[in-house]
Amino acid sequence: MKYTAMRNKVAIGLLVFTALSQPAFAGKATDTLNAAFSNEIETLDSYKASTREALIIGRHLYDGLVSKNYKTGEFIPELAESYKFTSDTQIDFKIRKGVKFHNGDALTADDVVFTLNLVSGPDFAARYAIAVNWIDKAEKLDEDTVRLTMKKPFPLALEMLAGNLPIYSKAYYEKVGSQGMAVKPIGTGPYKLVELTPGLGVKLERFDDYYKGGQKENPQIKTLKFRVLPERNTQYAELLNGNLDWIWRVPKDDVPRLESRPGVKVENAPIMRISYISMAPRVPNSPLADERVRKAINYAINRTEIRDAFVGKDYRIINSACNPVQFGCETDVTTYEYNPEQAKKLLKEAGFEKGLNLSMVIPGPAAGVPEAIKANLASVGINLKLNSLQYSAAVDQWRSGKQDLSYDDWGSYGVGDVGLNVVGNSFADTGEDVVKDPEIIPLIQEAGRIIDMDRRKALYSKALKLIAEKAYLVPLWAWSMNTAMAKDLDLHVSPDEFVPFYDANWK
Amino acid sequence: MLSYAVRRIAMACLLTLFVSFIAYSLIFAAGDPAAALAGNASTAADADRLRQLYGFDRPIIVQYLHWLSGVLRGDLGTSLYFDQPVATLLLERFTTTARLGFFGLVLALVIAVPLGVVAGRWPNSMVDRLALLLAVVGQAMPSFWFALLLMILFSVKLSILPASGTASWQSFVMPTIVLGYFSMPAIMRLTRSGMISALESDYIRTARAMGLSEARVLFDYALRNAALPIISLSSAQFGFMLAGSVVVESVFAIHGAGSLAWESISRADLPTVQALVLCFSLFYVFFTMVADMLNAMLDPRMRSK
């Protein structure tokens, strides 16, 4: 990271120093939005994609039965005209009439039934099982009604149906299969595919037969071009010379310099992702088995100072293991303000007066925040060994109980419900539950299988209070994302870390 | 000559197999391939499912042999990440990389050989000193830095060359310069030292005594002898360019084989990594072999070795 950071600084310095000519922004003139991503777009079969970038493009090619309005938190009909819960495990959807696929075929109830049964089948292997493994079956009741049956009551059904369960064309899928959908997809979405080269880029064009109704009904910009530019500096160069109109995930340190360029503006938007440090108290002979040690770690870390220095003030400090905008995120929990004296006192009480050794695994570079945490802990007598590893090696070490702490972040798939956040994932006796607290497990498990939202809220509240009280993790902050774009572009990142290019506009 | 070639080819095949098995095992040593493939938003359950689906839980040797039997039947498999046939993917990426590598090498040779000849003919002259300076800078300057400098000058400031991509021939100008400049110093210095030692030998004195022109002495007599190590080095450089131009490819967003290899390793796309490693080692072995053959043609003494 140091290496990259140095490169970034050098490059930006030079860019500012030398690039004096006024950039010519061409996107608006040709009604083409040129955007760049660092990650490769692996497949356009959204059920097989794992990168956020591919999933974002998927939401332009396909529609789901419903969608979520992030301003009101409501679910809005999309391919379904309306829906009704007939029981805790059944939803009936009235399918919208007059919807066309990009190849001109009309959408029917058969397409919906086919897609839902296909992707939830045992042989399909959807990349994220959580999106589909709750579906028992879908049946056609009449020409435009589909009944969806769940295996058991699943409170996140609508969240999943909104964006995570795109509807495919039965006839087309049967012809081309998943491999065909990966490179030449047909959907009902507001944009259709013009061209895709795996790993290189995607070109989409507005679908003029797109139906009215739903949130994407009014796509403005005619052509969307996504390119894969792995180097951040190349993205900056292309943005400054006008070949790009939009880039995202701009690090804090680069913002002032980009902002100072004519024709470029930087926007900041809060997103669902949170950062935290997990603790593994069950590793044999771990000092973390002692609650006082876990609390001492919480007291010893100066979150505000570290945040200001490394990620910026736009990130919001959190005290609970969730993002406060999510349903069920209890914020009235035990908090641990920075207090190194208290930390030392607790360590002394726990018998670690002379200090102790701990390890922390980081799925990525250790420079920055992890180093600062190490320094904080050193000042109270905890010697932290940082193990910076590639993601796959890091999770392997963590899940097999070889590390005391883990520095990580989680985006909840952009879903505004704590059921998919760390609390729902890592305290429910699953493969990533390193705590396995018998008091917490039943609470989370119950909240995951009932529909009664008030009851769920109460259960999560109790669980989150317990997690904070027992100091099982160090909640750090909720993220915020910087995007840099041409001044004449109007485009905002949604809180779910998805980008609605169908809402983009030229000013 | 024939038995020499057969011996070389047999050795090359064994070497390739060995490299590919090591590469296969290394992916497993580097972490959980199922987790890498599932991505960083996956749960332990997602990784478990993929582990079973793709058989990552079987012994490595069994998986390797399974893969190898596919390769022997001409099937490189399907990329676990792109869900596309590996062969198609590789063909696309290698075309780009080979083009870039070829341009880079030609540029390096066109500059390095004449400079090296001149520097070797007049050691410690002004030209030699300048060439040395050029070589030291080329060797010492990190390629990403040089690439960014070019990008700032030609695409941001002057707006005459595209900063990234492979859309037109202009896109290849800057990457070729960076790649060529990087491999130029070694070739030049080798030419220079080869020329110096060749020019000191008896046959050159004889050639001069026979009254041959300086150009014939330099290029027909001295360079032909100095060329042997240059050919070996250039072919190794070309092999390196096919596999190792990751930095240049990444800065200029040229999606070639180098960057595909780098990305595929981090996401444990085993069939793609394996096919790439196989191709890289085959190329490397092939070019080294071609160099050996060329050398054997130029120098009859080598054939009997």
Side-chain angles (χ1 to χ4, degrees):
Chain A
M1 195 62 180
K2 265 183 189 153
Y3 177 69
T4 320
M6 184 202 73
R7 280 197 294 180
N8 286 347
K9 278 191 186 137
V10 166
I12 281 285
L14 283 164
L15 286 176
V16 172
F17 191 70
T18 55
L20 298 167
S21 54
Q22 179 76 27
F25 286 92
K28 188 178 178 181
T30 53
D31 202 10
T32 301
L33 197 164
N34 294 289
F37 292 135
S38 300
N39 286 330
E40 291 186 9
I41 297 145
E42 72 273 39
T43 167
L44 294 180
D45 179 353
S46 286
Y47 292 101
K48 297 291 168 81
S50 60
T51 60
R52 189 53 67 98
E53 288 78 359
L55 293 172
I56 286 175
I57 292 173
R59 289 197 180 183
H60 293 77
L61 293 169
Y62 313 110
D63 291 323
L65 288 170
V66 295
S67 70
K68 189 171 182 175
N69 180 333
Y70 275 93
K71 290 186 187 106
T72 60
E74 277 174 315
F75 292 100
I76 294 173
E78 201 158 89
L79 289 180
E81 215 169 60
S82 61
Y83 63 89
K84 205 172 115 198
F85 275 86
T86 49
S87 76
D88 275 2
T89 53
Q90 256 174 11
I91 321 175
D92 286 356
F93 294 94
K94 197 105 190 141
I95 306 302
R96 193 185 291 276
K97 286 198 183 75
V99 176
K100 277 188 185 156
F101 283 102
H102 299 151
N103 61 357
D105 291 354
L107 170 88
T108 65
D110 292 322
D111 295 311
V112 178
V113 170
F114 169 78
T115 307
L116 295 178
N117 285 331
L118 170 83
V119 300
S120 58
D123 303 327
F124 184 76
R127 192 60 99 214
Y128 295 124
I130 183 82
V132 296
N133 64 5
W134 53 279
I135 299 174
D136 179 34
K137 60 177 186 221
E139 319 154 85
K140 180 171 153 182
L141 295 187
D142 59 50
E143 274 317 302
D144 43 39
T145 314
V146 171
R147 169 165 291 172
L148 178 66
T149 311
M150 309 170 204
K151 287 178 183 156
K152 56 182 190 215
F154 182 59
L156 301 174
L158 288 177
E159 293 278 3
M160 285 305 163
L161 287 163
N164 294 316
L165 284 158
I167 300 301
Y168 289 173
S169 154
K170 177 174 189 273
Y172 189 73
Y173 189 93
E174 280 176 343
K175 203 169 91 193
V176 301
S178 175
Q179 286 200 5
M181 290 298 279
V183 288
K184 239 184 150 194
I186 292 285
T188 59
Y191 283 86
K192 60 182 180 189
L193 180 78
V194 180
E195 203 184 341
L196 160 95
T197 330
L200 273 65
V202 179
K203 187 175 168 189
L204 308 181
E205 204 176 84
R206 194 171 56 211
F207 178 44
D208 290 328
D209 279 343
Y210 193 66
Y211 60 92
K212 289 289 170 193
Q215 289 197 92
K216 311 175 192 166
E217 63 179 0
N218 229 347
Q220 294 293 314
I221 294 174
K222 187 163 190 329
T223 312
L224 305 177
K225 264 170 106 170
F226 301 95
R227 291 180 58 205
V228 179
L229 300 181
E231 266 298 310
R232 195 149 282 293
N233 296 305
T234 316
Q235 294 185 5
Y236 297 157
E238 294 283 35
L239 182 69
L240 294 184
N241 70 18
N243 288 327
L244 279 181
D245 303 299
W246 184 92
I247 56 174
W248 75 338
R249 295 182 172 159
V250 178
K252 160 185 162 269
D253 290 349
D254 296 347
V255 170
R257 297 172 177 111
L258 278 177
E259 250 172 355
S260 71
R261 304 298 307 141
V264 175
K265 67 176 174 186
V266 178
E267 264 197 16
N268 180 278
I271 53 171
M272 212 74 82
R273 193 169 292 277
I274 60 167
S275 284
Y276 54 94
I277 301 167
S278 303
M279 305 195 206
R282 294 175 73 251
V283 173
N285 306 320
S286 172
L288 295 173
D290 192 321
E291 193 173 303
R292 288 168 296 190
V293 176
R294 301 199 297 268
K295 285 187 172 158
I297 292 174
N298 268 278
Y299 279 122
I301 297 173
N302 191 344
R303 296 177 296 169
T304 314
E305 198 179 82
I306 296 174
R307 174 199 68 173
D308 292 355
F310 294 101
V311 295
K313 288 191 168 74
D314 299 316
Y315 283 55
R316 293 137 296 149
I317 297 285
I318 52 172
N319 294 312
S320 197
C322 48
N323 189 318
V325 303
Q326 288 179 306
F327 170 85
C329 185
E330 178 60 77
T331 51
D332 181 20
V333 298
T334 316
T335 57
Y336 304 90
E337 291 306 324
Y338 175 58
N339 187 346
E341 290 315 312
Q342 181 68 16
K344 281 184 203 160
K345 204 177 123 207
L346 283 167
L347 287 175
K348 192 175 168 186
E349 277 172 32
F352 293 105
E353 203 175 354
K354 288 185 183 144
L356 71 156
N357 295 318
L358 289 174
S359 62
M360 180 161 88
V361 67
I362 304 130
V369 178
E371 290 281 4
I373 290 168
K374 180 185 162 93
N376 271 174
L377 293 184
S379 68
V380 298
I382 298 173
N383 176 29
L384 187 67
K385 183 173 183 280
L386 299 178
N387 292 307
S388 156
L389 297 168
Q390 259 202 0
Y391 170 76
S392 61
V395 289
D396 203 15
Q397 291 259 314
W398 177 245
R399 287 174 187 163
S400 57
K402 290 182 185 134
Q403 303 276 333
D404 299 309
L405 306 173
S406 162
Y407 170 69
D408 213 349
D409 59 77
W410 188 251
S412 303
Y413 311 97
V415 171
D417 189 299
V418 289
L420 286 182
N421 209 326
V422 188
V423 55
N425 262 341
S426 307
F427 291 90
D429 200 18
T430 52
E432 40 274 296
D433 187 354
V434 291
V435 175
K436 298 206 190 291
D437 186 309
E439 224 180 324
I440 299 174
I441 291 170
L443 299 174
I444 309 284
Q445 284 182 340
E446 191 190 339
R449 59 167 184 257
I450 56 167
I451 298 283
D452 179 348
M453 292 310 243
D454 291 335
R455 172 91 184 123
R456 288 185 69 223
K457 201 169 183 172
L459 288 165
Y460 282 127
S461 165
K462 202 168 164 194
L464 284 161
K465 278 176 191 268
L466 278 171
I467 291 169
E469 200 181 298
K470 298 184 179 186
Y472 282 131
L473 42 75
V474 186
L476 294 171
W477 40 71
W479 287 36
S480 194
M481 189 183 329
N482 294 313
T483 47
M485 64 192 103
K487 264 214 169 98
D488 52 10
L489 180 67
D490 191 25
L491 172 62
H492 314 284
V493 176
S494 296
D496 59 356
E497 214 177 322
F498 278 84
V499 191
F501 288 99
Y502 46 79
D503 275 346
N505 228 324
W506 302 112
K507 278 195 247 176
Chain B
M1 185 76 186
L2 186 69
S3 78
Y4 177 74
V6 170
R7 258 196 338 260
R8 294 286 314 167
I9 290 169
M11 280 291 290
C13 289
L14 278 176
L15 186 66
T16 311
L17 264 182
F18 179 69
V19 169
S20 96
F21 180 66
I22 297 288
Y24 207 90
S25 315
L26 279 177
I27 295 265
F28 286 84
D32 178 3
L37 191 63
N40 58 8
S42 63
T43 60
D46 288 326
D48 281 343
R49 231 161 17 90
L50 288 180
R51 190 171 300 118
Q52 281 175 10
L53 183 70
Y54 296 120
F56 292 145
D57 44 359
R58 292 174 302 167
I60 295 177
I61 186 77
V62 174
Q63 295 184 53
Y64 177 73
L65 290 177
H66 178 75
W67 171 79
L68 192 64
S69 75
V71 171
L72 294 176
R73 280 180 278 115
D75 176 17
L76 286 176
T78 305
S79 160
L80 305 183
Y81 187 72
F82 289 110
D83 202 12
Q84 295 297 310
V86 171
T88 324
L89 205 61
L90 256 57
L91 192 68
E92 261 169 41
R93 301 298 179 99
F94 268 116
T95 315
T96 310
T97 302
R99 195 182 297 165
L100 180 60
F102 177 74
F103 292 152
L105 188 66
V106 168
L107 182 74
L109 285 173
V110 162
I111 297 173
V113 173
L115 258 183
V117 169
V118 173
R121 173 64 183 82
W122 293 281
N124 299 322
S125 65
M126 195 62 163
V127 179
D128 186 26
R129 293 282 159 84
L130 275 177
L132 179 67
L133 181 74
L134 202 66
V136 169
V137 172
Q139 202 85 89
M141 188 164 48
S143 27
F144 74 82
W145 160 264
F146 185 43
L148 286 174
L149 284 182
L150 290 181
M151 197 186 284
I152 289 160
L153 180 65
F154 291 110
S155 62
V156 179
K157 200 166 154 69
L158 301 175
S159 289
I160 48 172
L161 288 173
S164 59
T166 47
S168 59
W169 66 266
Q170 285 100 327
S171 316
F172 283 95
V173 174
M174 289 192 287
T176 302
I177 294 175
V178 176
L179 209 55
Y181 190 34
F182 185 70
S183 45
M184 191 271 292
I187 300 178
M188 194 196 74
R189 297 304 287 171
L190 201 65
T191 314
R192 179 184 179 273
S193 58
M195 285 301 284
I196 289 177
S197 66
L199 286 170
E200 279 167 359
S201 51
D202 294 342
Y203 59 84
I204 295 293
R205 207 177 42 210
T206 316
R208 287 224 169 98
M210 284 166 69
L212 294 177
S213 71
E214 186 64 14
R216 269 204 81 184
V217 171
L218 281 183
F219 291 99
D220 267 10
Y221 287 74
L223 185 59
R224 185 173 166 144
N225 283 282
L228 299 181
I230 300 173
I231 289 171
S232 305
L233 180 69
S234 307
S235 59
Q237 290 273 11
F238 191 58
F240 160 78
M241 282 174 180
L242 288 184
S245 47
V246 184
V247 173
V248 175
E249 286 183 7
S250 156
V251 173
F252 291 107
I254 292 171
H255 299 265
S259 58
L260 180 66
W262 168 248
E263 296 280 337
S264 300
I265 290 168
S266 63
R267 56 195 173 217
D269 186 352
L270 275 161
T272 312
V273 175
Q274 278 310 108
L276 281 164
V277 168
L278 190 69
C279 290
F280 289 148
S281 39
L282 276 178
F283 286 148
Y284 214 84
V285 165
F286 174 75
F287 287 117
T288 319
M289 207 170 70
V290 168
D292 286 352
M293 304 277 178
L294 274 177
N295 280 340
M297 270 159 62
L298 286 172
D299 183 354
R301 285 171 303 179
M302 289 186 68
R303 285 171 226 167
S304 55
K305 270 183 200 165

